[in-house]
Amino acid sequence: MKKLLSTLLVLSVWACNTDKKTQTTMKSEETFGYDYDFLKKYKEVILLEQDSMKVAIVGDYQARVMTSSAKGMNGFSYGWINHEVIASGKYTPHMNAFGGEERFWFGPEGGQYSVYFKKGTTFDFANWQTPAEIDTVSYDLVEKQANKAVFSKDMELENYSGTKFKVNLNREISLLNQADAEKLLGVSLKDLDWVGYQTKNVVKNTGTEDWDKSKGVLSVWLLGMMKASPQNTIIIPYQSGKADQINDSYFGKIAAERLIKKDDILFFKADAQSRGKIGIPPQALKPVAGSYDAENKILTILQFDYNGETDYVNSMWEIQKNPYKGDAINAYNDGKNDSGSQMGQFYELETSSPAIALKRNESLTHMQRTFHFEGTENALDAISKKLLGINLSEVPKL
């Protein structure tokens, strides 16, 4: 009996130490609470809460979701935040990279209908400028509940061809409860730590004229900056046999050891060690994308509404022959640029709305859902298999 009690005591101590080690593996600056307290020093933060799920939003940063957590204040902070830029309190040329795991932008970025280049300028970094309306302007909070916040903003923009737009944006961000999440995902979330939120982005043509595709139109573009890690992989399924339609040359060809394209799914290393971007056109897409961080056992899933549209704005930095042959899904891995500098340790998952010529007072809506799940690989497999079509053990080690 004494031997048995001694063995049980040793096992108990071992279990406690193992649990403590697991809890202290994460640095304090990686927690949601750290980022939340940091942001509050500089801006008003809107906090959405539901059980252990938390989402932090900053209206001054265009109502972007800065970060989220599945385990409360002490949980992992999923969004990448540029602490240095925010703390400086200064605006920078071209773009203010505040970070945030979902920000609102307009497309197209490049081409004759771009809203990032002035008419007659060359398509290079020196002339690239993010419009203030999606970079420095504060959005107005019009409704706040425990699990929902709604923002609004009237804007005026002009594209490279001189076409002017007057629009109103209504942006609603809401936490998803378990019943709704399980219905949307088609899987049980029992025994998993998770957070899920949805953004509903409604853009209304408030100008005096109908939009005309021959003069350019706007599209909703949602971009999410997530924390990179050495064992993080972007996973995007697509229509079988369409691998040749994927654009992987935005910033030069991506090395073969960093991007694997199979018949109906791709794997893209997201470690923030090599700059690269890919795009999935509508004819090849499935309306889902994801990533798996094997180091931290975090599975991220992105869903968005897709109704079979084929025209998407083209954001390539050139005068385009096909300005509406663009991508519906993009993914980006940060790394050193041509000057040798780097923005940060992040990767991006992005979705866009179709290009629609809105009539006067007509609106377009783009909805996106972001989920983060934590658990063992086996526990996460059901979600990965259902949404991405693979077991996580099948993700190659790039």
Side-chain angles (χ1 to χ4, degrees):
M1 178 61 74
K2 287 183 179 180
K3 186 175 181 181
L4 175 60
L5 289 173
S6 176
T7 302
L8 288 173
L9 179 61
V10 169
L11 288 173
S12 176
V13 171
W14 177 84
C16 288
N17 289 338
T18 300
D19 185 55
K20 287 178 181 178
K21 183 179 179 181
T22 301
Q23 292 176 11
T24 57
T25 297
M26 182 169 55
K27 299 175 183 177
S28 61
E29 58 266 30
E30 294 177 324
T31 65
F32 179 89
Y34 177 91
D35 281 336
Y36 178 62
D37 290 340
F38 169 82
L39 290 168
K40 286 195 299 179
K41 293 179 184 177
Y42 304 97
K43 296 293 181 182
E44 180 182 1
V45 182
I46 304 299
L47 181 64
L48 304 186
E49 298 180 277
Q50 185 173 281
D51 300 323
S52 60
M53 297 189 293
K54 296 187 184 297
V55 169
I57 308 161
V58 175
D60 278 355
Y61 296 151
Q62 303 77 55
R64 72 182 70 189
V65 175
M66 297 303 295
T67 189
S68 63
S69 169
K71 298 181 180 180
M73 289 294 176
N74 294 321
F76 191 86
S77 183
Y78 300 115
W80 179 80
I81 294 175
N82 197 332
H83 299 89
E84 183 178 350
V85 167
I86 292 173
S88 74
K90 299 177 181 178
Y91 289 150
T92 57
H94 308 298
M95 169 195 173
N96 288 280
F98 303 120
E101 66 171 272
E102 194 202 276
R103 73 180 185 272
F104 177 93
W105 265 17
F106 282 113
E109 185 178 9
Q112 56 268 44
Y113 303 139
S114 167
V115 289
Y116 297 76
F117 291 90
K118 290 185 178 180
K119 188 173 183 177
T121 59
T122 53
F123 295 106
D124 51 42
F125 185 75
N127 293 308
W128 177 70
Q129 179 60 53
T130 308
E133 290 80 1
I134 53 174
D135 188 45
T136 56
V137 170
S138 178
Y139 290 3
D140 304 318
L141 178 67
V142 297
E143 182 184 349
K144 168 66 171 72
Q145 299 178 21
N147 63 350
K148 183 174 76 171
V150 182
F151 297 83
S152 181
K153 198 66 184 178
D154 292 314
M155 311 178 192
E156 294 187 21
L157 298 99
E158 183 174 346
N159 71 13
Y160 186 91
S161 296
T163 303
K164 295 181 179 181
F165 302 93
K166 289 186 70 175
V167 301
N168 170 264
L169 167 66
N170 186 275
R171 178 164 159 82
E172 178 183 300
I173 304 158
S174 55
L175 277 168
L176 295 165
N177 61 39
Q178 184 159 333
D180 288 339
E182 288 181 339
K183 184 177 180 180
L184 289 162
L185 296 167
V187 294
S188 170
L189 300 181
K190 185 180 178 181
D191 300 327
L192 279 171
D193 293 304
W194 68 279
V195 60
Y197 60 88
Q198 173 179 278
T199 69
K200 181 180 181 181
N201 304 274
V202 183
V203 173
K204 182 179 182 180
N205 175 9
T206 57
T208 58
E209 299 180 2
D210 298 344
W211 292 1
D212 183 340
K213 284 189 176 178
S214 68
K215 298 178 180 179
V217 301
L218 301 175
S219 68
V220 175
W221 187 9
L222 303 178
L223 306 92
M225 289 175 159
M226 317 288 184
K227 289 177 179 174
S229 85
Q231 297 181 49
N232 193 45
T233 305
I234 292 167
I235 308 165
I236 304 180
Y238 49 85
Q239 298 294 333
S240 180
K242 303 281 188 176
D244 60 335
Q245 298 184 23
I246 294 167
N247 183 357
D248 59 2
S249 301
Y250 275 91
F251 300 113
K253 197 74 173 174
I254 298 170
E257 65 269 18
R258 302 188 65 87
L259 175 65
I260 294 176
K261 291 186 285 186
K262 296 191 175 181
D263 180 65
D264 60 357
I265 193 167
L266 66 81
F267 305 96
F268 180 24
K269 192 170 182 64
D271 59 352
Q273 295 301 308
S274 180
R275 190 169 182 241
K277 182 175 179 177
I278 59 174
I280 314 295
Q283 63 270 20
L285 77 81
K286 293 180 180 178
V288 65
S291 64
Y292 181 56
D293 181 348
E295 180 176 307
N296 295 297
K297 298 294 186 292
I298 298 169
L299 175 65
T300 296
I301 295 289
L302 220 66
Q303 288 184 324
F304 65 102
D305 291 346
Y306 176 66
N307 299 304
E309 298 91 349
T310 57
D311 285 356
Y312 282 76
V313 298
N314 187 340
S315 283
M316 295 294 287
W317 287 20
E318 61 189 16
I319 298 297
Q320 302 155 358
K321 292 181 180 179
N322 299 301
Y324 298 108
K325 295 293 184 184
D327 300 319
I329 298 176
N330 291 99
Y332 171 80
N333 183 53
D334 200 37
K336 290 183 179 180
N337 56 32
D338 294 340
S339 67
S341 62
Q342 181 172 348
M343 194 177 299
Q345 294 296 306
F346 71 90
Y347 70 100
E348 287 185 326
L349 294 175
E350 313 168 8
T351 74
S352 294
S353 74
I356 297 175
L358 295 178
K359 297 185 182 298
R360 184 183 176 187
N361 293 322
E362 190 177 19
S363 301
L364 71 86
T365 299
H366 184 59
M367 297 180 68
Q368 178 175 284
R369 292 171 291 278
T370 302
F371 298 91
H372 301 288
F373 307 95
E374 291 189 48
T376 65
E377 188 174 296
N378 286 339
L380 296 172
D381 261 344
I383 298 169
S384 179
K385 189 68 176 177
K386 175 69 176 181
L387 278 297
L388 302 176
I390 61 161
N391 292 317
L392 293 174
S393 60
E394 299 176 70
V395 178
K397 290 179 171 57
L398 299 173

